[in-house]
Structure formats: structure tokens, C-alpha cells
Amino acid sequence: MTLRTPLAILFDLDGTLADTAPDLAGAVNQLRIARGLEPTDYEVLRPTASAGARGLIGAAFGLTPQDAEYPELRDAFLKNYEASIAVESRLFDGVTELLAQLQDQGIVWGIVTNKVSYLTDRLVPQIGLDHAACVVSGDTASHPKPHPAPLFEAAKRIGIDPQHCWYVGDDLRDIQAGQAAGMTTIAAGWGYCGNIEPTSWNADALAESPQQLFTLIKA
């Protein structure tokens, strides 16, 4: 299909712009070690990184937010993560070049993440993303993704109608939020992508690398 040329591209953060899984996995494995348990294998934790505490605690402990033990583990996880938020986290290969290309083309770019704002605000400058046109966190709007509210808030902040925006993310919730906001949706196949194949998300397009995303813009 022919994609509408964007005036702006909004990105998810974890698993889309930045490879944050090593620090997230480290934070949850600190919990296991403190309880005398063996660390969970990184390859088990990595696909869950985009789901934050819920996904990582679920993978490491087999617990859900409905379990009585979950709130204490979540709070300890977030404390661990805040203390070591940018030890190994890096932008994915090609992201720096992609963002420079967007700037050269006059395309605005911003961040819409479900990470809570106190963590987002701590991480973004440390990994070189503090020149984003907007940063919308999971607690910025009335609801987090997959609700479209954060994307509407981002579009408002940059002054561009949602129909002229693309939203790029590595999780099904990203695509659902983008669709609900009336944006063109791109699945970031280079990211974590969870346990559901991105080809089944019904995104408008799938990009396997940041450079392929730029190719879609120019198509």
C-alpha cells in the first residue's frame, strides 16, 4: 500500500528507539538474587522488556498485577531500575542516523512511551534523545497506550494533526494506540516485539530496521 507522507513521526521508546532491555533485565534479576534465586536468562526477559514491570516480573516470577506479592516486587524493581537506568542502554543501530535524516527532511519527531515520566525524564537525556520535539510518558495523559490519549497529547504538543503523523512501535499496544488515534502505524521489527509476530498486528507497514523505516518515508 502507499503510505501517507508524514509531517511527524512519533516513536515508542523502549525497544523502538532505545535498547533498554539489558538494564531492565538487570533490575528484575536483582530482585531474584536478593531472594536467593538464580537470575532469569536474559533471552527469556528480553522479549518482555516493552511491557515494563508487568512483563518482566511476569517472566521472572510468574506473577501478574493481580497477585498479592506483585506491588512490593514492582516497587522494588522500579527502585533498582531508576538507580541503574542507563548503564547498558543504548540507541539501536541506525537510530541516530534516522533521526538526523528526519531533521534534514523537515519531519518532526517525538517520543510516546508507557514508561512513567520520572523514569523517562531521567533516561532520555542520558541516551541522547533530549532534542525530541515532544516527550509523552505513560502518566502524562489520562490513559496509557493502547489508549490513543498519549498520541493525541503528542500531536497537540507538536501542533500536527494525527492523520499526518506516523507512530512507530515494537509492541501490539503501540499499533492499537496508533490506529485508534488515526495515525499511520509502523511495526518496528527490530525491537522486542513480545510473543506475537508483528506481521499479525495489522500495522500499515513493517520496518525491519531504522533505515528501512526511512526508505518507507521516501517511497
Side-chain angles (χ1 to χ4, degrees):
M1 64 176 291
T2 302
L3 301 177
R4 181 195 298 267
T5 302
L7 298 180
I9 299 186
L10 302 171
F11 295 91
D12 175 51
L13 180 56
D14 299 86
T16 301
L17 290 175
D19 186 3
T20 56
D23 291 327
L24 288 161
V28 80
N29 271 333
Q30 278 185 258
L31 298 180
R32 287 186 59 85
I33 292 167
R35 287 158 176 76
L37 303 171
E38 289 292 320
T40 300
D41 187 82
Y42 177 68
E43 295 307 317
V44 173
L45 295 174
R46 182 180 173 83
T48 71
S50 286
R54 176 178 55 83
L56 289 152
I57 292 172
F61 291 94
L63 298 174
T64 72
Q66 286 70 48
D67 290 304
E69 306 97 317
Y70 180 86
E72 181 182 352
L73 282 171
R74 178 200 59 211
D75 292 347
F77 164 77
L78 292 174
K79 184 176 180 180
N80 289 345
Y81 181 55
E82 183 182 11
S84 303
I85 200 168
V87 176
E88 297 183 66
S89 295
R90 302 287 186 273
L91 299 184
F92 281 104
D93 289 345
V95 165
T96 299
E97 294 79 6
L98 169 64
L99 298 180
Q101 289 170 319
L102 296 182
Q103 184 172 338
D104 289 345
Q105 294 292 317
I107 298 172
V108 175
W109 69 273
I111 298 169
V112 181
T113 175
N114 271 3
K115 189 186 292 290
V116 292
S117 55
Y118 78 92
L119 295 175
T120 306
D121 295 345
R122 187 177 180 89
L123 176 63
V124 162
Q126 293 193 59
I127 56 175
L129 294 176
D130 45 345
H131 56 305
C134 68
V135 178
V136 174
S137 297
D139 54 351
T140 302
S142 56
H143 301 279
K145 299 174 294 181
H147 197 280
L151 295 178
F152 287 138
E153 176 63 23
K156 178 182 176 182
R157 291 187 179 195
I158 60 177
I160 296 176
D161 192 281
Q163 68 177 331
H164 296 297
C165 298
W166 288 12
Y167 187 52
V168 184
D170 72 307
D171 191 272
L172 174 59
R173 292 173 304 166
D174 298 324
I175 304 308
Q176 292 171 333
Q179 289 170 337
M183 296 182 180
T184 296
T185 56
I186 311 294
W190 67 85
Y192 305 138
C193 297
N195 298 313
I196 304 173
E197 283 295 320
T199 52
S200 69
W201 297 352
N202 295 318
D204 292 301
L206 169 66
E208 295 290 356
S209 68
Q211 190 53 51
Q212 188 177 359
L213 174 62
F214 189 71
T215 301
L216 290 173
I217 298 167
K218 301 299 290 180

